[in-house]
Amino acid sequence: MGKKSRVKIQKSGSGASAAVSPKEMMNLISELLQKCSSAAPSAGKEWDEYIQIRGLVDKIRKKQKGMSTVFGGSREDYFPDLLSWAQDNGASCDSFTVGNFGAEGYGLRATRDIKAEELFLWIPRKMLMTVESAQNSVLGPLYSQDRILQAMGNVTLAFHLLCERADPASPWLPYIRSLPQEYDTPLYYQQEEVQVLLGTQAVQDILSQYKNTARQYAYFYKLVQTHPAACKLPMKDTFTFDDYRWAVSSVMTRQNQIPTEDGSRVTLALIPLWDMCNHTNGLITTGYNLEDDRCECVALQDYKENQQIYIFYGTRSNGEFVIHNGFFFQDNAHDRVKIKLGVSKSERLYAMKAEVLARAGIPASCIFALHCNEPPISAQLLAFLRVFCMTEEELRDYLLGDGGFNKIFTLGNSEFPVSWENEIKLWTFLETRAALLLKIYKTSSQEDSAMLNKPDLSLHCRLAIQLRLAEKQILEKASASGRAKRLHFKKKLEDGTPLPRYEKSDIALLENSDDAKIPIVLHELDEMEEGQQMQGEEHRDLVNGEKDVYALEAEASGETRRDVYSTLDSTGSSSASRTEEDPKECSE
């Protein structure tokens, strides 16, 4: 994905600082690990913690200057070798080449006309870098003895990349050399560029991402330097923070889930050549063919010769794209912002509301999303808001009244309001909540638009401002939609319009309603395990950069300490250990 890279080539060893004693470096690493493993800061202190962590990382990077393993020349110098290597290993390369698409970066260019749904690209398993290939590599002995690597496939892939990059005889070298030397993920932002995002929905995930990466690096640096099973790792003596940041970003922007050879479970993989494709709106058109043991991609649309070939990365928000892929997608049909909602346990009707929500499969505290399109809320959020705004009488009706169980089916369907008063309340709440969230931002939408017109804006600042503006625009639309709905239902009430009544015969209508984005019986909202979805399927859908699960179990003071922070589910949403004020996230 050329869009993710801004390449700067540093000759290995050039500008290297004076030799640093192992003891001095280990002291800095220990200080970093301790800082990153301490208790989470109090609300409002996250930025101060970020500055402190970044200061320690900058000290380490300064002392490691010139030690990283890098390749000379430009990235595009290695594309011919990539294509030759792919062809020699059984990949299909006769329909495209690698091209430079300006602001979008490198991507695949069609060398002939390609029809929509035509199979034009396949990559055999032997070309993939997977957790299994890592186990069978020089990394294997350490993998077998470190439970962090065993539990976290993405970290294993990052180390697999580093080991193979440092090995001149690696069979994956043509692929690794073709990867960007740097990325545009926030891990590469300057401090002042991150500061642009203060007050946004995305900033907490960005600060956590940096903290997680720094903690992981400190943990694994100590492991690599002291564990007997790491003594033969080719990158042992040159394992810098910049190396780990590069490997993490490479995996974060490219990893995917594929089935194991026997199809019994899934594993993580890097898929060479295919991962050069850039993103556009559409449908997932890549899967895994177990019979031929290869990844296969069909064309998303008709492509003429010399046109760029795109794939669809999945229904990600621009926050997820910026944080985990390093780009902003202007026409994102799936953009959204998170909104935390919960029923207070101190509320008199808490028990009744929690029970109705439980019957609908919705937690009493949850993170939902406001969407960029109409309607701005999902069926889950509509159901939650209806229960949230119910009177005691309405709650009793849904819990104890005739047909109460069947009425649960209607909570996520806009065709069957609880009451006109309830609809007025919920849309008033949404209008007000969105307006309050807008007040958190330090700039207006108009000011952000003006900033984007400045010609000297850095790429990272531009991405940050684009994301900040997109969040505001979604909140503005949600507030306006709430107002319009409130006035609409107020008129219904004033006109004495009768409520639509749900009958058992309406179940077919509900199940086929376009409005209901979820099954009307609101089951557990967490997404199904990929392994369950894959059973009995010959072709497995793939989404570029499917998962980003960077967590860490750090060992401190002789005791195993579990610190699991910002992990991403398959929608890219942040999840962590949550309290009532930091509620569970609902997959939408």
Side-chain angles (χ1 to χ4, degrees), residues 515-587:
D515 176 73
K517 296 181 181 179
I518 57 170
I520 298 305
V521 181
L522 301 175
H523 298 294
E524 179 63 36
L525 298 181
D526 290 334
E527 191 168 83
M528 290 179 63
E529 294 292 328
E530 286 289 330
Q532 295 174 5
Q533 291 178 344
M534 288 175 55
Q535 295 301 320
E537 297 178 23
E538 181 182 28
H539 294 271
R540 275 67 174 173
D541 286 341
L542 302 182
V543 181
N544 207 353
E546 171 74 23
K547 298 275 186 181
D548 174 39
V549 190
Y550 281 94
L552 175 67
E553 290 182 274
E555 302 218 348
S557 304
E559 296 181 22
T560 300
R561 172 191 174 114
R562 183 169 182 83
D563 288 311
V564 181
Y565 288 80
S566 180
T567 62
L568 276 195
D569 61 24
S570 57
T571 63
S573 304
S574 174
S575 64
S577 301
R578 300 187 183 278
T579 63
E580 182 186 354
E581 285 71 35
D582 192 13
K584 179 180 177 182
E585 183 155 359
C586 293
S587 174

Side-chain angles (χ1 to χ4, degrees), residues 1 30 64 152 159 162 237 283 327 361 366 410 459 462 466 511:
M1 281 134 269
S30 296
Q64 293 175 338
M152 301 171 62
F159 269 88
L162 289 172
D237 297 327
L283 299 172
F327 67 86
C366 195
T410 70
L459 173 64
R462 182 171 299 278
Q466 284 178 313
E511 289 176 343

Side-chain angles (χ1 to χ4, degrees), residues 47-109:
W47 178 251
D48 293 338
E49 181 190 57
Y50 169 78
I51 292 175
Q52 294 169 13
I53 292 172
R54 186 168 186 125
L56 285 171
V57 168
D58 286 345
K59 284 183 181 179
I60 292 170
R61 292 183 64 223
K62 185 176 181 180
K63 293 183 180 299
Q64 293 175 338
K65 186 177 180 182
M67 293 174 57
S68 298
T69 301
V70 294
F71 301 116
S74 65
R75 185 185 176 198
E76 61 186 13
D77 292 340
Y78 298 105
F79 292 150
D81 288 344
L82 172 67
L83 291 167
S84 296
W85 170 74
Q87 191 165 20
D88 291 344
N89 281 277
S92 58
C93 304
D94 59 348
S95 301
F96 55 83
T97 188
V98 178
N100 190 332
F101 295 93
E104 288 185 279
Y106 295 107
L108 295 188
R109 186 192 305 276

Side-chain angles (χ1 to χ4, degrees), residues 193-376:
E193 293 170 334
V194 177
Q195 197 165 7
V196 174
L197 287 163
L198 286 179
T200 65
Q201 298 267 332
V203 72
Q204 188 57 57
D205 289 340
I206 289 171
L207 300 184
S208 294
Q209 182 190 61
Y210 194 90
K211 179 179 180 179
N212 296 339
T213 304
R215 184 178 66 249
Q216 291 158 22
Y217 173 70
Y219 170 82
F220 284 110
Y221 182 92
K222 296 182 77 170
L223 187 74
V224 166
Q225 298 304 318
T226 60
H227 200 293
C231 64
K232 294 184 179 180
L233 296 184
M235 32 66 71
K236 179 180 183 295
D237 297 327
T238 58
F239 180 41
T240 67
F241 178 85
D242 284 358
D243 286 333
Y244 190 66
R245 178 177 63 171
W246 171 83
V248 164
S249 295
S250 296
V251 173
M252 179 167 57
T253 58
R254 284 167 159 73
Q255 66 182 340
N256 232 291
Q257 288 186 326
I258 66 166
T260 53
E261 289 191 58
D262 61 5
S264 63
R265 57 188 177 86
V266 294
T267 187
L268 291 178
L270 299 177
I271 308 174
L273 201 59
W274 173 81
D275 64 9
M276 290 293 300
C277 293
N278 286 317
H279 166 81
T280 193
N281 288 319
L283 299 172
I284 294 172
T285 56
T286 305
Y288 199 90
N289 185 330
L290 270 178
E291 183 178 350
D292 294 327
D293 202 19
R294 66 188 190 184
C295 295
E296 295 182 344
C297 185
V298 300
L300 183 62
Q301 61 193 53
D302 288 342
Y303 293 108
K304 296 292 185 183
E305 184 178 354
N306 291 322
Q307 284 186 323
Q308 183 177 181
I309 301 170
Y310 293 96
I311 60 173
F312 176 58
Y313 287 8
T315 57
R316 301 179 184 175
S317 69
N318 269 319
E320 291 156 2
F321 279 138
V322 169
I323 296 170
H324 305 289
N325 294 86
F327 67 86
F328 181 92
F329 189 63
Q330 192 65 53
D331 299 316
N332 190 357
H334 306 283
D335 206 7
R336 56 194 178 272
V337 298
K338 293 181 289 188
I339 179 171
K340 295 182 181 181
L341 297 174
V343 182
S344 173
K345 288 186 177 180
S346 63
E347 183 183 339
R348 183 177 64 88
L349 300 177
Y350 172 81
M352 297 177 73
K353 290 182 178 180
E355 177 61 25
V356 176
L357 287 169
R359 293 184 185 185
I362 304 175
S365 293
C366 195
I367 298 179
F368 296 97
L370 297 177
H371 297 265
C372 64
N373 41 30
E374 284 291 336

